[in-house]
Amino acid sequence: MTDFKVRASSGTEYPIQPLPQLEQVQLQGMLDWLSAYGADPQGGVTRLLYDQAWCEAQYALAAKMQEKGLTTEFDQSGNLYGTLHVKGSEAEEGMEEAPIVTGSHIDTVVHGGKYDGAYGVAAGVLALEYLQNHFGAPKRTLQVVSLCEEEGSRFPFAYWGSRSITGVSVLEDIQHLKDQEGITFAQAMRDAGFGPDSCYRTASHTYGAFLELHIEQGQVLERLGHSIGIVSDIVGQKRFSITVSGEANHAGTTPMLWRKDALAGAAEMITAVRSIALEAGEPLVATVGRVIAEPGFGNVVASRAVFSLDIRHIRQESIDRCWQDMLQAFSRIAAEQQLGLNWEEHLSVTPVPMNEQMTTDIRTICEVEQLSYIHMPSGAGHDSQIFQPACPTSMVFVPSQDGISHNPLEYTAEEDLMKGFRVLVQLLYKYGYGS
Amino acid sequence: MTDFKVRASSGTEYPIQPLPQLEQVQLQGMLDWLSAYGADPQGGVTRLLYDQAWCEAQYALAAKMQEKGLTTEFDQSGNLYGTLHVKGSEAEEGMEEAPIVTGSHIDTVVHGGKYDGAYGVAAGVLALEYLQNHFGAPKRTLQVVSLCEEEGSRFPFAYWGSRSITGVSVLEDIQHLKDQEGITFAQAMRDAGFGPDSCYRTASHTYGAFLELHIEQGQVLERLGHSIGIVSDIVGQKRFSITVSGEANHAGTTPMLWRKDALAGAAEMITAVRSIALEAGEPLVATVGRVIAEPGFGNVVASRAVFSLDIRHIRQESIDRCWQDMLQAFSRIAAEQQLGLNWEEHLSVTPVPMNEQMTTDIRTICEVEQLSYIHMPSGAGHDSQIFQPACPTSMVFVPSQDGISHNPLEYTAEEDLMKGFRVLVQLLYKYGYGS
């Protein structure tokens, strides 16, 4: 975090109240415009990394950034940057100064909504335009990034945008991955005009700070009636596949006491997952979303049952303790019912606390702007968890109607979008224009 | 049951001990011979109603019956009869006398074994041959039937053989049913040379009594170390599809207390099924063999879960009480977790007690033959449950190795097959030759 210094606000300058001509910002309009790229005939948006809709959207955004007065640049991964340089400096110098960056991703899930990721990108572009229009060139370089990929919807790999910028991942690690049509990651990247043979610079990039504005994708803000969620931590996750083994038997001829019913065992385990999670209390969540019983006939006792397990919390020790409690319950149930038990860990992500100073600054803005806010964890993963270890990072949530996301019905009201925008503008002003 | 009179045994004649030259009966050999029809390259047997393997097997059996000295006849359904007439009578007269019948079915499940059904048919043919060879013509017509269909493996309809004989079902009810290739029941029947336009008589047929020899398809005899299971009742069944409705939510952003997790509810219900069934005690069995969660992703709380439920018992009131207990538990769980609950009953079969007089006669045979036996329910459905309401009916089980059935590994040792055969011969002797 050595690159990051919070600029003290200079008296009445910050936060600016009221922000001038804020009503002229067309945030919803820009989201509607962007959602035409990859619009599905049946509603919703599909833009997968390096596909045609994605390419068109990213190039259209570059043109839009230029139109708004920003200097644009792509990197080899396909991340797009729009920069607002300090007064009189050249573009190259601006880049070297470890800019204050905002943004998010423009890829979507299949049949996704028009807010997830896109909100943070559109808000970033419009925030930089607004600041330039009203306050001129900043004292520190400001930048918006349209990250190439976060969802992992095309290739079995997520956060490519932020991972390639921070150097957490390099192309060599993933170039062999294939999409559903058998196209390799490297090939898809090349076909889209990016990659090491392209004319673009490497993705590696040093940020002074990163702020991501995002829809909540949950119901907490809506239910509790708050406008702004200041993300305290991005949860860690562990994901498992649990396999219970028994014996296939005739449902009519096998007495209950002689059965080794894999599904009966799995059901008791899934019930235990819920009760252990409830007992652990918030913010722990544990989910079994998938279960398969084999052979899967109504008149045959199941020989095998496989279920998924997803555990999340903001503290690693809580995730580990919860998993140990569950594993103990699973083992007891398996022993009682004479069943075999196996598990495989698919994913382990460490929790990431957001930057404290940025959290304090955002809270101050919310108080002065009289925006109703809460501090809350993010239960979903985001690019911010990749940036935080590399630079001071924070996230701001706005409400998602009915908590719906990854769905064409995803929606956030203009008013709520604009409240998040005000927070973004104030923070960028503080870090970019503060003395 | 007016047609059925038990003939009293005449002094030392019955049961005959020892049965002469029983060691010459090649029961296992006949099962091996029959299993060549429809033999799967990877092991096992597949003979589906009216398919080529089935036709070849049924015609080969007719030839075998003739070779063994029986008069053969098909009916319009494709059931095959081999008759041992009373001395001096003509075939037609024999038919009219309400014969004492034994037999089972020759259709199989896909990749089934060579004992299920086939054992009862082969034993019947060889028993009639044996009786004729050693005791001449009977005093009452004896018949073996090779029923065309019991498994419901090709069309979504089971027990066609016994249902058409007893008149419980007629072709008009089912002729429109289609197999997986879209061939109708009526067409398949016609293609095999049967049906109302064929040269054969209608299936409707009056029996004096029916005895079915069958493998147990369970582990009870093997585990308890008995040779013969005298079936007391064929269980009744109820089958349901239970649907639990909740709300799809993000596994990370939805706190536990706000979830409407359809799979968590279903898991608790499946656990309740097991505990209610265990509490009800034997012979009640209840099985959930199939479950599906939707949308079925590990990181999405399930919006819907559907599971099968199969309840069996020898008393209707016990089935009904168990279902009511389960439904009450399901409703309580659904209410507690704010979930929707729906169910659909797919099948309801009434329990069928076997004929008491025949049961007594079989027990006497086992005692005199010194065969270790138990009275036991049949947890699986059989043709006998269709015949019993129409004529006195009983079933005899022999052990299934490891309880395995509907599988190429299905196996019963020659010694066990022959113990069942002795019971069959003695009972047919009693009813066919008794004074």
Side-chain angles (χ1 to χ4, degrees):
Chain A
M1 304 192 194
T2 48
D3 277 320
F4 181 66
K5 276 190 226 144
V6 175
R7 313 290 171 108
S9 61
S10 52
T12 55
E13 250 180 56
Y14 162 81
I16 305 128
Q17 282 205 299
L19 287 166
Q21 298 177 317
L22 203 67
E23 68 285 355
Q24 290 177 13
V25 174
Q26 298 296 316
L27 190 43
Q28 183 69 61
M30 185 160 170
L31 287 170
D32 292 342
W33 165 80
L34 187 58
S35 71
Y37 298 92
D40 297 317
Q42 67 273 49
V45 184
T46 304
R47 287 189 299 261
L48 307 184
L49 178 63
Y50 302 140
D51 77 3
Q52 193 185 335
W54 176 95
C55 286
E56 289 172 2
Q58 199 73 316
Y59 283 107
L61 261 174
K64 182 71 80 180
M65 287 175 179
Q66 289 166 15
E67 194 182 295
K68 303 288 187 190
L70 306 178
T71 310
T72 62
E73 189 185 17
F74 280 100
D75 65 25
Q76 289 178 4
S77 295
N79 297 305
L80 166 65
Y81 307 85
T83 308
L84 195 58
H85 292 289
V86 301
K87 204 168 182 178
S89 76
E90 294 302 314
E92 290 309 306
E93 292 170 30
M95 284 299 179
E96 285 157 9
E97 207 200 316
I100 304 300
V101 183
T102 189
S104 192
H105 59 96
I106 64 142
D107 70 315
T108 69
V109 297
V110 175
H111 306 314
K114 63 183 177 187
Y115 299 88
D116 179 2
Y119 171 48
V121 175
V125 173
L126 296 180
L128 265 53
E129 179 193 31
Y130 178 89
L131 287 166
Q132 187 170 37
N133 287 349
H134 292 278
F135 308 103
K139 294 182 182 168
R140 182 165 182 176
T141 306
L142 295 177
Q143 201 170 67
V144 56
V145 60
S146 173
L147 296 164
C148 58
E149 194 275 338
E150 186 252 17
E151 299 286 2
S153 303
R154 179 168 177 185
F155 297 95
F157 183 78
Y159 309 119
W160 171 233
S162 49
R163 279 175 157 159
S164 61
I165 291 170
T166 54
V168 169
S169 302
V170 290
L171 181 60
E172 286 66 36
D173 302 337
I174 56 167
Q175 58 188 349
H176 61 283
L177 294 177
K178 288 181 180 172
D179 68 7
Q180 286 197 329
E181 289 170 6
I183 300 168
T184 65
F185 198 99
Q187 184 63 45
M189 184 184 234
R190 222 172 8 247
D191 292 346
F194 299 102
D197 300 331
S198 69
C199 58
Y200 304 118
R201 65 170 175 84
T202 60
S204 175
H205 195 53
T206 305
Y207 287 1
F210 182 70
L211 175 68
E212 187 172 12
L213 194 56
H214 207 281
I215 57 166
E216 183 201 335
Q217 303 181 281
Q219 300 183 60
V220 174
L221 291 174
E222 183 181 70
R223 285 215 192 189
L224 302 185
H226 293 292
S227 303
I228 299 291
I230 306 173
V231 175
S232 57
D233 309 80
I234 298 181
V235 297
Q237 305 183 27
K238 270 188 188 292
R239 293 192 197 172
F240 299 90
S241 176
I242 316 289
T243 301
V244 186
S245 308
E247 268 180 26
N249 279 123
H250 193 296
T253 64
T254 315
M256 295 303 293
L257 288 168
W258 293 358
R259 296 179 177 206
K260 296 180 180 175
D261 184 336
L263 181 52
E268 202 171 325
M269 293 176 197
I270 296 169
T271 301
V273 165
R274 182 168 178 264
S275 60
I276 290 169
L278 282 169
E279 197 170 331
E282 288 188 14
L284 190 127
V285 286
T287 307
V288 178
R290 187 168 46 81
V291 64
I292 294 164
E294 292 171 0
F297 301 117
N299 60 350
V300 180
V301 176
S303 58
R304 216 167 85 104
V306 183
F307 64 90
S308 63
L309 173 62
D310 175 314
I311 306 173
R312 306 189 192 196
H313 195 280
I314 58 170
R315 302 283 168 258
Q316 188 62 46
E317 61 270 24
S318 300
I319 296 173
D320 294 340
R321 193 182 325 117
C322 179
W323 164 237
Q324 285 308 318
D325 288 350
M326 287 176 183
L327 186 55
Q328 202 176 339
F330 296 171
S331 302
R332 176 184 52 74
I333 293 162
E336 281 169 5
Q337 299 194 30
Q338 295 184 279
L339 300 166
L341 176 68
N342 278 288
W343 67 92
E344 202 179 326
E345 186 176 305
H346 288 305
L347 182 80
S348 183
V349 177
T350 310
V352 179
M354 296 289 94
N355 180 268
E356 280 185 34
Q357 180 62 59
M358 291 179 77
T359 295
T360 303
D361 292 337
I362 294 166
R363 191 178 60 229
T364 303
I365 291 168
C366 289
E367 282 167 357
V368 175
E369 288 272 354
Q370 295 185 297
L371 295 168
S372 164
Y373 69 92
I374 50 167
H375 296 277
M376 64 184 290
S378 169
H382 291 288
D383 288 306
S384 287
Q385 78 199 56
I386 309 297
F387 284 119
Q388 168 62 28
C391 74
T393 298
S394 196
M395 274 198 94
V396 168
F397 282 161
V398 297
S400 292
Q401 184 173 286
D402 297 327
I404 294 169
S405 185
H406 286 188
N407 188 300
L409 296 177
E410 194 175 78
Y411 178 72
T412 298
E414 171 92 34
E415 186 191 6
D416 289 323
L417 295 173
M418 287 306 297
K419 285 176 180 166
F421 185 77
R422 277 156 68 190
V423 173
L424 175 64
V425 167
Q426 292 283 19
L427 199 76
L428 290 175
Y429 179 80
K430 177 178 173 66
Y431 297 163
Y433 294 82
S435 58
Chain B
M1 304 191 193
T2 48
D3 278 320
F4 181 65
K5 278 190 225 142
V6 173
R7 315 288 173 108
S9 61
S10 51
T12 56
E13 251 181 53
Y14 162 83
I16 304 131
Q17 284 206 295
L19 287 167
Q21 297 177 317
L22 203 68
E23 68 285 358
Q24 291 178 12
V25 174
Q26 298 295 316
L27 190 44
Q28 183 68 61
M30 184 158 170
L31 287 168
D32 291 343
W33 165 81
L34 187 58
S35 72
Y37 298 92
D40 296 318
Q42 67 274 46
V45 184
T46 304
R47 287 190 299 261
L48 307 185
L49 178 64
Y50 303 139
D51 76 3
Q52 192 184 335
W54 177 95
C55 286
E56 289 173 359
Q58 199 74 318
Y59 282 107
L61 261 174
K64 183 69 81 180
M65 287 175 179
Q66 288 166 15
E67 195 182 295
K68 303 289 188 191
L70 305 179
T71 311
T72 62
E73 190 184 16
F74 279 101
D75 66 23
Q76 289 178 4
S77 296
N79 296 306
L80 168 65
Y81 306 86
T83 307
L84 195 56
H85 291 290
V86 302
K87 205 169 182 178
S89 78
E90 295 301 315
E92 290 310 305
E93 292 168 31
M95 283 302 180
E96 284 157 10
E97 206 200 320
I100 303 299
V101 184
T102 189
S104 193
H105 58 95
I106 64 143
D107 70 313
T108 69
V109 297
V110 175
H111 307 315
K114 61 182 177 188
Y115 299 87
D116 179 0
Y119 171 49
V121 175
V125 173
L126 295 180
L128 264 53
E129 179 193 31
Y130 178 88
L131 287 166
Q132 186 170 37
N133 286 350
H134 291 279
F135 308 103
K139 293 182 183 168
R140 182 165 182 176
T141 305
L142 296 177
Q143 201 171 66
V144 57
V145 61
S146 173
L147 295 163
C148 59
E149 194 274 338
E150 187 252 18
E151 300 286 2
S153 303
R154 180 169 177 185
F155 296 95
F157 183 77
Y159 310 119
W160 171 233
S162 49
R163 280 177 156 158
S164 60
I165 290 169
T166 54
V168 169
S169 301
V170 290
L171 181 59
E172 285 65 37
D173 302 338
I174 56 167
Q175 58 188 350
H176 61 281
L177 294 177
K178 288 182 180 172
D179 69 6
Q180 286 198 328
E181 288 170 4
I183 300 169
T184 64
F185 199 99
Q187 183 63 46
M189 184 185 234
R190 223 176 1 252
D191 292 347
F194 299 101
D197 300 332
S198 70
C199 57
Y200 304 118
R201 67 171 173 83
T202 60
S204 176
H205 196 52
T206 305
Y207 287 1
F210 182 71
L211 175 68
E212 187 172 12
L213 194 56
H214 207 281
I215 58 167
E216 183 201 335
Q217 303 181 281
Q219 300 182 60
V220 174
L221 291 174
E222 184 181 71
R223 285 216 192 187
L224 302 184
H226 293 293
S227 303
I228 299 291
I230 306 173
V231 174
S232 58
D233 309 80
I234 299 180
V235 298
Q237 306 183 27
K238 270 187 188 292
R239 293 193 197 170
F240 300 89
S241 176
I242 316 288
T243 301
V244 186
S245 309
E247 269 180 26
N249 278 124
H250 192 296
T253 63
T254 315
M256 294 304 293
L257 287 169
W258 293 357
R259 295 180 178 207
K260 295 179 181 175
D261 184 336
L263 181 52
E268 203 171 324
M269 293 175 197
I270 296 169
T271 301
V273 165
R274 182 168 178 265
S275 59
I276 290 169
L278 282 169
E279 197 171 329
E282 290 189 14
L284 190 127
V285 286
T287 308
V288 179
R290 187 169 45 81
V291 64
I292 294 163
E294 293 172 358
F297 301 117
N299 59 350
V300 180
V301 176
S303 58
R304 216 167 86 104
V306 183
F307 64 90
S308 63
L309 172 62
D310 175 313
I311 307 173
R312 307 189 192 196
H313 195 281
I314 58 170
R315 303 282 169 257
Q316 189 61 48
E317 62 269 25
S318 300
I319 296 172
D320 294 339
R321 193 183 324 118
C322 179
W323 164 237
Q324 285 308 319
D325 288 351
M326 287 176 184
L327 186 56
Q328 202 176 339
F330 296 170
S331 302
R332 176 183 53 73
I333 293 162
E336 281 169 5
Q337 299 194 29
Q338 296 184 279
L339 299 166
L341 176 68
N342 278 288
W343 67 92
E344 201 179 326
E345 186 176 306
H346 287 304
L347 183 79
S348 182
V349 176
T350 309
V352 179
M354 296 289 95
N355 180 267
E356 279 186 32
Q357 180 62 58
M358 291 179 77
T359 295
T360 303
D361 292 336
I362 294 166
R363 191 178 59 229
T364 302
I365 291 167
C366 289
E367 282 167 357
V368 175
E369 289 270 355
Q370 295 185 297
L371 295 169
S372 164
Y373 70 92
I374 49 166
H375 295 279
M376 64 183 290
S378 170
H382 291 288
D383 288 306
S384 287
Q385 77 200 56
I386 310 296
F387 283 119
Q388 168 62 26
C391 72
T393 298
S394 196
M395 275 198 92
V396 168
F397 281 162
V398 297
S400 292
Q401 184 173 285
D402 296 329
I404 294 168
S405 186
H406 285 187
N407 188 301
L409 296 176
E410 193 174 79
Y411 178 71
T412 299
E414 173 91 34
E415 187 190 4
D416 289 323
L417 295 173
M418 286 306 296
K419 285 176 181 167
F421 184 76
R422 278 156 67 190
V423 173
L424 175 64
V425 167
Q426 292 283 18
L427 199 76
L428 290 176
Y429 180 80
K430 176 179 174 63
Y431 296 164
Y433 295 82
S435 59

